[in-house]
Amino acid sequence: MLTLLVLGAILAGGVGYAGLKYGPSLFAIIPQLTNNEKTAPLNRISHANEVKKIKEANALDEVSVTGFSDEELRDCFFSQSIDDKLKERLVKMGYADQIPADQLSYVRVLYNDFNGRATVGEIVVNSAVAKQIENVFYDLFLHKYQIGKMILPDAYGTRISESYADNNTVGLAFNLTDDNGGSLHARGYAVDLNPLYNPLIKDNGSSLSVFPMEGQLYLDRTINADHYIHANDYAVEAFKKEGFSWKGNVTGLNDYKHFEYSGVPAASSTTNTQTSQSSSASSQKDSTGQTPSTQTVSEPVQEPVVTPDQNVTTPDQSGVDQPAIDQPVVDQPAIDQPAVDQPVVNQPVVDQPVVDQPGDDLPGEIIINPDGTMNGESPMPVEPDVVYPEEDGGF
């Protein structure tokens, strides 16, 4: 008897718990099940809480969307404006007002990783294409298209090449070359998808340039390898439906990772705006009648490229009239120098010794006579010859 009472209590508790958890959903469905007209659609169990958690999750978090309706799943793909916290992240990756922050959008998506698990992804693009990017990745998710990684490249700082080597899918990016669509990425109109497996391959004639350089492992595009983007790849179709073109089919500059928006407006850079303002300011005078100082932005000088078999001829400038430039005449003020009285200094008189100079009666040269005397001297006395007698044993 005691055992039956315990079992009954456990059963009652289980029924009560189930009623509290699933009661609201059952009460919503029962009226429709008893409806003879069958005009109202059968309500599904709501996943509002799960959707909210996914929206608040971090990028790279794995999530479950089992049982989600199409509307609930699509709600996990959304955009928002760039707030101060997001702007700090952009600065870490090289953002310096290349484009106003209010023209950019932060897009959250879901993607299937290389193991097929639903994962939270993030990307920043131009606000003009934010909705299209949501649609593209929603389409790829429904088709179980696999993506290696999808986070903002601020995790790599300004070393954007490391982000590409890590197979990270990016939109807004800086420090890229023109070959990589640098200006479009800096304005948020391009997306690079699975870039490690789908590098840029530029034919230089005698060599190839590859970006990222780790993508050299995937140069052979003749094989049908996993994660390769080719002309018939579904990603090409998904981006094309939203107005993007694929640059993997450009001969000599095949950028297999790169998708760019086909309706990109003309660039209006900050530099051009400043140049226009400078030109306008230079034609106006300020309140003192002076022309305000402006900074002139000069165009880069194109140096001629000369090959060894080419001759460079300097154009004749003799027939060109040079404009005469009137130089302003500047009157220099006359400066009166004050007269300075110099003191008179009495120098002591110094007696100079009198030196007798030789007269003209002295001979100009000294003549030595054969007897050893000089002109004007008495002859030297000559001693007589002395003969010594010879002695035995003498000379």
Side-chain angles (χ1 to χ4, degrees):
M1 179 64 69
L2 180 61
T3 302
L4 293 176
L5 290 175
V6 172
L7 292 176
I10 293 174
L11 181 61
V15 172
Y17 174 78
L20 292 175
K21 184 174 182 180
Y22 301 106
S25 299
L26 292 175
F27 287 128
I29 295 175
I30 290 174
Q32 297 180 65
L33 294 176
T34 57
N35 183 5
N36 295 328
E37 297 180 357
K38 302 295 182 182
T39 55
L42 184 64
N43 286 338
R44 298 184 179 90
I45 297 176
S46 173
H47 296 88
N49 290 333
E50 288 83 354
V51 171
K52 181 180 180 181
K53 290 180 180 179
I54 290 176
K55 287 186 172 183
E56 295 174 350
N58 296 318
L60 299 183
D61 283 353
E62 296 178 12
V63 296
S64 175
V65 292
T66 302
F68 278 28
S69 66
D70 291 345
E71 293 79 12
E72 290 170 335
L73 184 60
R74 181 62 180 84
D75 200 23
C76 297
F77 296 73
F78 63 95
S79 305
Q80 67 183 55
S81 59
I82 304 297
D83 56 19
D84 291 340
K85 186 176 180 179
L86 282 170
K87 190 171 183 180
E88 289 179 3
R89 297 183 64 186
L90 298 186
V91 170
K92 291 180 181 179
M93 53 187 272
Y95 175 72
D97 297 328
Q98 292 90 335
I99 179 174
D102 59 5
Q103 296 182 19
L104 300 173
S105 292
Y106 173 73
V107 182
R108 287 285 297 264
V109 303
L110 298 179
Y111 67 90
N112 297 285
D113 68 8
F114 282 175
N115 295 314
R117 296 170 299 199
T119 309
V120 177
E122 60 182 359
I123 192 172
V124 172
V125 296
N126 196 289
S127 299
V129 297
K131 187 61 65 176
Q132 290 89 326
I133 292 298
E134 292 178 28
N135 294 338
V136 167
F137 285 96
Y138 177 65
D139 193 358
L140 293 177
F141 185 81
L142 292 180
H143 283 79
K144 301 186 182 305
Y145 193 92
Q146 294 185 345
I147 297 174
K149 182 178 289 187
M150 192 172 178
I151 60 174
L152 296 190
D154 66 307
Y156 309 88
T158 56
R159 304 177 302 277
I160 190 63
S161 59
E162 294 185 11
S163 172
Y164 280 76
D166 199 26
N167 201 37
N168 183 42
T169 296
V170 300
L172 184 75
F174 308 101
N175 303 324
L176 291 171
T177 64
D178 290 340
D179 290 340
N180 286 278
S183 62
L184 290 177
H185 277 286
R187 298 168 60 199
Y189 284 105
V191 173
D192 285 341
L193 181 66
N194 287 338
L196 176 62
Y197 291 83
N198 301 280
L200 163 73
I201 304 175
K202 181 180 179 181
D203 187 356
N204 299 314
S206 59
S207 64
L208 296 176
S209 297
V210 181
F211 181 83
M213 64 179 183
E214 292 81 0
Q216 297 178 50
L217 297 174
Y218 311 101
L219 290 181
D220 187 1
R221 314 304 292 188
T222 61
I223 61 176
N224 187 21
D226 291 338
H227 316 304
Y228 273 23
I229 301 176
H230 46 77
N232 296 323
D233 190 74
Y234 188 77
V236 176
E237 179 64 22
F239 275 96
K240 183 179 179 180
K241 287 190 294 185
E242 297 298 330
F244 287 78
S245 60
W246 177 57
K247 294 304 177 181
N249 55 356
V250 179
T251 303
L253 190 63
N254 302 88
D255 198 355
Y256 295 100
K257 59 183 168 50
H258 186 79
F259 297 88
E260 63 184 48
Y261 190 59
S262 302
V264 177
S268 56
S269 65
T270 304
T271 302
N272 292 338
T273 303
Q274 291 176 346
T275 305
S276 174
Q277 292 173 349
S278 270
S279 300
S280 175
S282 64
S283 62
Q284 299 176 357
K285 302 287 185 179
D286 61 15
S287 60
T288 61
Q290 300 295 325
T291 302
S293 60
T294 59
Q295 183 178 2
T296 304
V297 179
S298 59
E299 295 294 330
V301 178
Q302 298 292 333
E303 297 292 341
V305 179
V306 182
T307 57
D309 57 347
Q310 289 179 327
N311 294 324
V312 179
T313 304
T314 303
D316 184 7
Q317 301 291 339
S318 60
V320 180
D321 294 332
Q322 299 295 332
I325 302 175
D326 294 331
Q327 298 293 338
V329 178
V330 179
D331 293 332
Q332 298 294 336
I335 302 175
D336 294 332
Q337 298 293 338
V340 179
D341 294 332
Q342 299 295 333
V344 178
V345 180
N346 295 324
Q347 299 294 334
V349 178
V350 179
D351 294 332
Q352 299 294 332
V354 179
V355 180
D356 293 333
Q357 298 296 331
D360 294 335
D361 54 343
L362 295 178
E365 59 182 3
I366 299 175
I367 300 175
I368 300 175
N369 298 316
D371 58 1
T373 63
M374 294 183 293
N375 284 354
E377 292 183 348
S378 300
M380 295 181 63
V382 178
E383 295 182 0
D385 296 334
V386 179
V387 179
Y388 298 94
E390 295 182 4
E391 298 180 358
D392 293 339
F395 294 101

